[in-house]
């Protein structure tokens, strides 16, 4: 078996195809089986798994990557491994292409994913419970002995982190990903028509 970058998933092959094995607690994993998907001519005859035919390798690998990160708690991911779960819960699937995952931080005990919009260059900061976050500088150029945690022995700005509303978050990112006619997401007054 080959372990993927997310520690709870593996790919295994038998010469006829490849299966995705997952030991995570995932909503799209059959409770009675660890095999989640198969590609190629391997016919495991398992119910409830995704099947990808020969020629659908790109689709299979996209599913593998998405599944791996959905089923791995963010605390178990490395600092440079993207996690799209919060954005996938928030936005319509056709709007995800406009965003880039940038980094992960812990703010006030919450694991926050940072996403950047390709067009506006604005950021959305989302935790895994669906909260929007922002920050502000509370002290500029704090030296290492100023009483705040510094990552290095040099001057560091001190930030305060707090939650904000959906409208405030998207205004900071300067984008509104929903249609003007979406009744669940009324067009904001700050966004030009």
């Amino acid at each position: 078996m080959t372990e993927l970058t997310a520690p709870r998933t593996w790919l295994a092959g038998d010469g006829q195809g490849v299966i995705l094995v997952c030991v995570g607690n995932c909503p799209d994993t059959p409770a009675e089986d660890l095999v989640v998907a198969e590609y190629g001519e391997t016919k495991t005859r398992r119910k409830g798994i995704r099947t990808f035919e020969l020629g659908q390798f790109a689709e299979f690998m996209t599913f593998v990557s998405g599944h791996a990160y959905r089923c791995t708690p963010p605390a178990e991911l490395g600092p440079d491994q993207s996690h799209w779960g919060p954005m996938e819960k928030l936005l319509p699937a056709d709007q995800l292409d406009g965003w880039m995952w940038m980094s992960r931080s812990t703010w006030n005990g919450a694991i926050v994913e940072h996403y950047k919009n390709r067009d506006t260059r604005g950021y959305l900061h989302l935790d895994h419970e669906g909260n929007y976050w922002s920050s502000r500088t509370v002290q500029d150029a704090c030296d290492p002995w100023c009483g705040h945690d510094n990552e290095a022995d040099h001057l560091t700005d001190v930030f305060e982190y707090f939650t904000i509303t959906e409208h405030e978050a998207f205004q900071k990112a300067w984008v509104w990903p929903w249609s003007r006619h979406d009744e669940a997401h009324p067009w904001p007054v700050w966004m030009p028509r």
Side-chain angles (χ1 to χ4, degrees):
M1 288 191 180
T2 302
E3 187 173 352
L4 299 176
T5 55
R8 293 178 179 240
T9 57
W10 291 267
L11 292 176
D14 64 358
Q16 298 294 314
V18 180
I19 60 171
L20 170 64
V21 180
C22 181
V23 294
N25 183 14
C26 311
D28 55 349
T29 301
E32 69 280 354
D33 203 342
L34 298 178
V35 176
V36 179
E38 66 181 3
Y39 167 77
E41 295 180 2
T42 294
K43 298 299 178 198
T44 61
R45 308 261 186 245
R46 289 172 166 90
K47 295 181 181 178
I49 68 170
R50 291 283 307 266
T51 302
F52 296 86
E53 302 297 327
L54 286 174
Q56 294 182 311
F57 188 71
E59 294 89 343
F60 174 69
M61 291 308 295
T62 299
F63 177 82
V64 166
S65 176
H67 181 88
Y69 291 119
R70 277 193 305 279
C71 297
T72 303
E76 293 182 18
L77 292 173
D80 297 326
Q81 290 178 306
S82 63
H83 197 295
W84 286 92
M87 284 294 266
E88 288 174 343
K89 290 180 199 172
L90 173 70
L91 294 181
D94 64 339
Q95 294 294 320
L96 292 174
D97 285 345
W99 295 89
M100 301 174 284
W101 179 89
M102 301 303 289
S103 64
R104 174 180 308 105
S105 302
T106 302
W107 292 357
N108 295 351
I111 297 174
V112 179
E113 306 290 342
H114 307 281
Y115 305 99
K116 185 176 184 179
N117 186 276
R118 286 191 179 110
D119 296 328
T120 68
R121 315 309 279 175
Y123 279 81
L124 271 183
H125 311 282
L126 298 168
D127 69 21
H128 293 261
E129 283 70 49
N131 298 308
Y132 300 91
W133 288 80
S134 189
S135 65
R136 64 176 152 255
T137 305
V138 293
Q139 185 174 353
D140 290 324
C142 178
D143 66 44
W145 305 276
C146 68
H148 294 282
D149 290 336
N150 283 359
E151 293 182 11
D153 292 335
H154 55 78
L155 299 179
T156 305
D157 292 342
V158 177
F159 295 95
E160 172 184 51
Y161 303 101
F162 50 93
T163 57
I164 57 177
T165 67
E166 178 179 77
H167 278 270
E168 290 171 321
F170 281 100
Q171 185 173 10
K172 286 179 178 287
W174 199 247
V175 64
W176 192 250
W178 295 282
S179 162
R180 291 184 181 158
H181 310 293
D182 186 338
E183 293 179 13
H185 300 90
W187 195 254
V189 295
W190 50 264
M191 195 76 183
R193 294 200 178 258

